[in-house]
Amino acid sequence: MTTAAATTGARTAKAKPATMAQALGRALRDSMAEDPAVHVLGEDVGTLGGVFRITDGLAREFGDDRCTDTPLAEAGILGAAVGMAMYGLRPVVEMQFDAFAYPALEQLFSHVAKMRNRTRGAMPLPITVRIPYGGGIGGVEHHSDSSEAYYMATPGLHVVTPATVDDAYGLLRASIASDDPVVFLEPKRLYWSKADWSPDAPAEVEPIGRAVVRRPGRSATLITYGPSLPVCMEAAEAAVAEGWDLEVVDLRSLVPFDDATVAASVRRTGRAVVVHESTGFGGPGGEIAARITERCFHHLEAPVLRVAGFDIPYPPPMVERHHLPGVDRVLDAVARLQWEAEG
Amino acid sequence: MTVQELPGAAAYRPTPPPAWKPLTDPAPLLPDPEPYRVLGTDAAADADPELMLRLYAELVRGRRYNVQATALTKQGRLAVYPSSTGQEACEIAAALVLEERDWLFPSYRDTLAAVARGLDPVEALTLLRGDRHTGYDPREHRIAPLCTPLATQLPHAVGLAHAARLKGDDVVALAMVGDGGTSEGDFHEALNFAAVWRAPVVFLVQNNGFAISVPLAKQTAAPSFAHKAVGYGMPGRLVDGNDAAAMHEVLGEAVARARRGEGPTLVEAVTYRMDAHTNADDATRYRTDSDVEVWRAHDPVTLLERELTGRGLLDEDRIEEAREAAERMAAALRERMNADPVLDPMDLFTHVYAERTGQLREQADGLRAELAAEQERHGEHGAEDGR
């Protein structure tokens, strides 16, 4: 239990630049060290350490039985994890890329999401499904999908996506510790983003289901998560020159959805733009905009807008930058809120 | 572009591939082409009389259970029942070969196996009654929820058996699937995982001739389902699924093999579904009465009864005794199923997550208000209704 003490942040250790990938790997390692029930399984997670090296060193430290290279079969991997969880283990499954998870969707939708409900609470499944997701790294087709809407639409699953190094560690620890299944979406273009972070004294992270205001502001709220957070932060800084003081809310968790934090922000600012790179039609933004409208209608001075990826299959890498919502597109949306500059 | 034009081609010296060497000799993995039989053969002489009598009593009860459950659908007490009439030998054997610590992974047609394993018949029927998805605690009975999606329970069996072995527990998982289910991808993935991991699992394919209406010839081109085993590197066994003694022996050997750490086995039981797919299905659209008659002569209950009577182990009195016990079971089931289950609609929100999300709390409040309003209306009219 030495790592448990370490994770409370009781000791202060010097923070050095660390990547999100390193923080995720450390979260896996600490979870495995703390709880022998935690098992990592997937394709290439052992000897290779995962194609993104998130599981690097785990097989060496904990053995092949705790960090297992499986046959290449996503339904089999997740299906086996269901059985392992039924026997009291806490499997953490890696789906190598977003679109590679699709063969496992039946297992996810029909069993992982529903087992607690089907058995009236007798058999919860504490499974974490790690899925690197989203574009922006020049991946060829089937390597850049943003599938969060499918998971959000499936009752019984938690859907979590970190955008910072601190959250990558804290939310993955919380997901593995959760008695409910968690789809843990890792924004792969942020894998190499850095922050000062100490593995010996990681920051406290709120439990799953709390959004956070990353940048306070008074003029409008940008609501975002995962890979689009840095875009929104940059847009908010750029907007200062135009006299716009944008608030940025990082959802961190799509299910459960933190209505309170989002509504409180929009009531303060009166205007909202939802930003994500998943498709707009049928995407998370529609749900979020509807929830805001239901709660904040009398506070709104403009319709809730969405800035999303186009409603197209994910494009080839040479043109993906035109598809991904960037700073300019966010600022255009802010302008469409029929802005009246303050002061 | 020729090879010479490739950069670095001069240094390229292809090495010949190593001679192909199969990892194992496939011969011991292959099933005998004829389904294994005990009843009516010399092997029957070696069978344990006590076991045979127990199998007989269970078969008679099992048949009566199938008939009773089908009758309950006609009375509206069960939403649906996929009968295993004709397949009782498979169901009973699957239940009896397992130790208490072992796990059963049934498909939706295997209610009888769960009951034969000791599950309360009413709890076993909750899914099909429509009041609850799973009426029992799977951990308590070591029976996974009856699985409606096809073959998806097979990887669960593999994962559970694997986990048990990692924990050092002496546990075997037996997973049941139909002939149609073998065409699903999860069947392949589960068998492959089990073989690679040498997981203590027994896969039982009940080949009952039809996947709803689609006959065997349109389901597979393999010589038998048991032949598929060799491709995964596990033994395949072909057995007469209507021969309870043969089923018990073959499944028992497979379970023992798994327990010894020698890995999984694929057992194909050749049997026949005497009833329609479910009570909602019209089997006359895809098969004739004379097709079914051929199999009626090979009925699992009759086969065992004939063997035991011929050997003087069973007489009219004992047959009557088994029938009476089955009638008592059916009467008790009828009576208990005639009681209306009491359901609390607020339970809809109880087991979605460990802790309700804000969204579910709001929805629960809404339903509570609806129910209160309903109660109030009901109260107003209660006197008129005489309730």
Side-chain angles (χ1 to χ4, degrees):
Chain A
M1 298 300 282
T2 49
T3 47
T7 55
T8 61
R11 283 194 297 136
T12 46
K14 191 135 189 190
K16 287 186 211 152
T19 63
M20 179 182 281
Q22 286 168 334
L24 291 166
R26 181 68 186 211
L28 290 171
R29 189 211 159 270
D30 289 352
S31 296
M32 291 175 85
E34 203 171 281
D35 182 355
V38 177
H39 283 242
V40 168
L41 65 159
E43 165 79 359
D44 298 311
V45 297
T47 308
L48 185 67
V51 294
F52 292 106
R53 302 292 181 271
I54 308 296
T55 57
D56 196 19
L58 297 179
R60 230 177 4 260
E61 185 172 351
F62 298 101
D64 294 345
D65 284 345
R66 295 280 307 279
C67 178
T68 307
D69 274 333
T70 63
L72 200 171
E74 288 77 11
I77 296 168
L78 191 52
V82 169
M84 292 164 74
M86 287 170 89
Y87 205 76
L89 298 185
R90 227 167 241 283
V92 183
V93 162
E94 175 173 305
M95 296 287 157
Q96 204 160 71
F97 281 92
D98 29 57
F100 295 9
Y102 300 159
L105 290 186
E106 186 185 14
Q107 284 293 342
L108 189 72
F109 294 166
S110 292
H111 293 293
V112 175
K114 292 179 180 169
M115 193 66 85
R116 173 188 286 279
N117 190 255
R118 291 168 75 206
T119 62
R120 296 180 54 76
M123 190 168 264
L125 294 180
I127 298 174
T128 304
V129 187
R130 294 180 39 241
I131 308 177
Y133 84 117
I137 65 158
V140 295
E141 62 169 350
H142 310 302
H143 289 72
S144 299
D145 287 17
S146 296
S147 330
E148 55 268 36
Y150 308 147
Y151 307 123
M152 288 172 71
T154 306
L157 301 176
H158 290 302
V159 184
V160 170
T161 175
T164 68
V165 175
D166 281 330
D167 274 6
Y169 180 86
L171 291 175
L172 184 51
R173 292 295 309 267
S175 299
I176 296 170
S178 167
D179 285 336
D180 283 319
V182 179
V183 174
F184 192 86
L185 297 168
E186 300 176 1
K188 59 174 108 68
R189 70 170 141 132
L190 299 185
Y191 270 151
W192 302 281
S193 63
K194 284 189 178 177
D196 285 345
W197 182 78
S198 163
D200 295 323
E204 293 279 353
V205 172
E206 284 178 295
I208 291 173
R210 306 264 176 83
V212 63
V213 175
R214 293 285 178 204
R215 183 190 191 283
R218 290 175 298 120
S219 319
T221 304
L222 302 179
I223 295 143
T224 190
Y225 55 86
S228 293
L229 176 68
V231 174
C232 288
M233 293 300 279
E234 200 184 325
E237 291 311 315
V240 172
E242 313 278 335
W244 303 342
D245 181 20
L246 299 179
E247 181 149 308
V248 179
V249 172
D250 174 6
L251 293 172
R252 306 202 279 196
S253 161
L254 297 168
V255 181
F257 187 83
D258 185 352
D259 283 303
T261 300
V262 171
S265 173
V266 177
R267 282 175 190 156
R268 276 196 300 275
T269 63
R271 295 174 170 90
V273 181
V274 187
V275 183
H276 58 64
E277 65 180 62
S278 160
T279 52
F281 187 86
E287 174 64 32
I288 296 167
R291 303 189 77 81
I292 292 172
T293 307
E294 284 167 358
R295 280 161 184 77
C296 311
F297 184 72
H298 294 293
H299 300 264
L300 286 173
E301 313 217 8
V304 181
L305 297 182
R306 286 170 292 167
V307 177
F310 297 132
D311 298 327
I312 56 170
Y314 198 85
M318 291 176 82
V319 287
E320 70 178 340
R321 68 185 178 86
H322 299 292
H323 166 75
L324 294 170
V327 170
D328 289 347
R329 214 172 277 167
V330 174
L331 292 175
D332 284 349
V334 170
R336 275 164 48 221
L337 293 171
Q338 298 179 324
W339 201 264
E340 289 177 26
E342 291 176 3
Chain B
M1 200 198 292
T2 66
V3 171
Q4 278 70 33
E5 286 171 323
L6 286 168
Y12 178 67
R13 296 276 182 280
T15 49
W20 170 251
K21 202 173 69 179
L23 292 175
T24 50
D25 174 9
L29 305 181
L30 282 166
D32 286 335
E34 276 301 305
Y36 179 70
R37 291 196 172 91
V38 170
L39 302 180
T41 73
D42 294 344
D46 300 331
D48 175 9
E50 222 163 285
L51 172 68
M52 303 248 277
L53 285 169
R54 176 154 184 232
L55 286 170
Y56 177 74
E58 292 286 347
L59 281 190
V60 172
R61 262 163 52 95
R63 171 63 49 86
R64 188 66 189 85
Y65 180 87
N66 273 324
V67 170
Q68 184 59 60
T70 303
L72 286 168
T73 63
K74 295 186 179 118
Q75 298 155 13
R77 284 295 174 183
L78 276 184
V80 67
Y81 186 70
S83 169
S84 59
T85 292
Q87 303 176 221
E88 288 91 346
C90 306
E91 301 282 312
I92 302 298
L96 295 196
V97 293
L98 296 179
E99 302 285 341
E100 205 180 321
R101 62 189 178 282
D102 296 332
W103 274 74
L104 182 73
F105 285 80
S107 82
Y108 60 87
R109 197 181 296 287
D110 303 316
T111 326
L112 182 54
V115 171
R117 184 162 163 73
L119 189 60
D120 178 335
V122 174
E123 287 185 2
L125 286 172
T126 54
L127 168 79
L128 301 164
R129 188 189 213 177
D131 58 344
R132 287 169 180 173
H133 294 315
T134 304
Y136 53 92
D137 179 344
R139 276 207 187 90
E140 185 189 337
H141 300 278
R142 285 159 301 280
I143 302 171
L146 294 170
C147 191
T148 325
L150 292 188
T152 52
Q153 76 277 23
L154 306 183
H156 304 172
V158 176
L160 181 133
H162 177 66
R165 206 179 49 169
L166 290 180
K167 285 189 166 187
D169 295 344
D170 184 21
V171 166
V172 174
L174 189 153
M176 306 173 78
V177 67
D179 42 312
T182 65
S183 298
E184 294 279 2
D186 279 38
F187 173 82
H188 159 67
E189 299 194 17
L191 266 70
N192 190 47
F193 267 64
V196 169
W197 284 354
R198 289 176 75 86
V201 186
V202 177
F203 299 101
L204 169 57
V205 178
Q206 288 181 76
N207 170 8
N208 68 10
F210 291 92
I212 305 188
S213 69
V214 178
L216 199 57
K218 290 185 180 175
Q219 198 65 243
T220 183
S224 78
F225 293 111
H227 276 82
K228 296 188 179 217
V230 66
Y232 297 101
M234 72 174 81
R237 299 293 307 273
L238 195 57
V239 56
D240 182 338
N242 288 21
D243 180 332
M247 280 304 302
H248 191 277
E249 185 183 325
V250 170
L251 286 178
E253 280 169 8
V255 167
R257 190 174 169 273
R259 217 184 291 286
R260 287 196 302 268
E262 292 169 28
T265 305
L266 173 60
V267 176
E268 175 186 354
V270 182
T271 182
Y272 197 77
R273 193 188 75 209
M274 300 301 286
D275 287 342
H277 165 59
T278 69
N279 51 298
D281 169 38
D282 176 9
T284 62
R285 292 178 75 105
Y286 52 85
R287 67 185 188 190
T288 64
D289 286 346
S290 58
D291 293 338
V292 182
E293 280 315 308
V294 175
W295 280 87
R296 211 174 292 286
H298 198 63
D299 183 285
V301 186
T302 320
L303 281 187
L304 188 54
E305 198 171 281
R306 196 184 300 147
E307 178 81 38
L308 292 173
T309 320
R311 294 178 52 195
L313 293 166
L314 200 63
D315 55 21
E316 274 307 319
D317 286 351
R318 295 195 74 165
I319 292 173
E320 195 49 38
E321 199 179 302
R323 284 186 188 150
E324 277 170 14
E327 279 310 320
R328 284 195 298 276
M329 177 275 304
L333 179 61
R334 257 195 325 269
E335 193 184 336
R336 290 180 65 203
M337 289 294 286
N338 272 335
D340 286 322
V342 181
L343 302 176
D344 180 0
M346 292 310 294
D347 268 2
L348 289 174
F349 303 100
T350 308
H351 302 295
V352 184
Y353 297 99
E355 201 180 315
R356 274 179 211 181
T357 61
Q359 292 79 53
L360 288 183
R361 279 198 299 274
E362 278 177 19
Q363 289 163 26
D365 289 344
L367 180 61
R368 196 177 293 112
E370 273 177 34
L371 292 170
E374 212 171 82
Q375 180 101 40
E376 204 168 304
R377 282 199 303 276
H378 184 79
E380 280 167 24
H381 302 295
E384 296 161 34
D385 291 347
R387 277 184 277 178

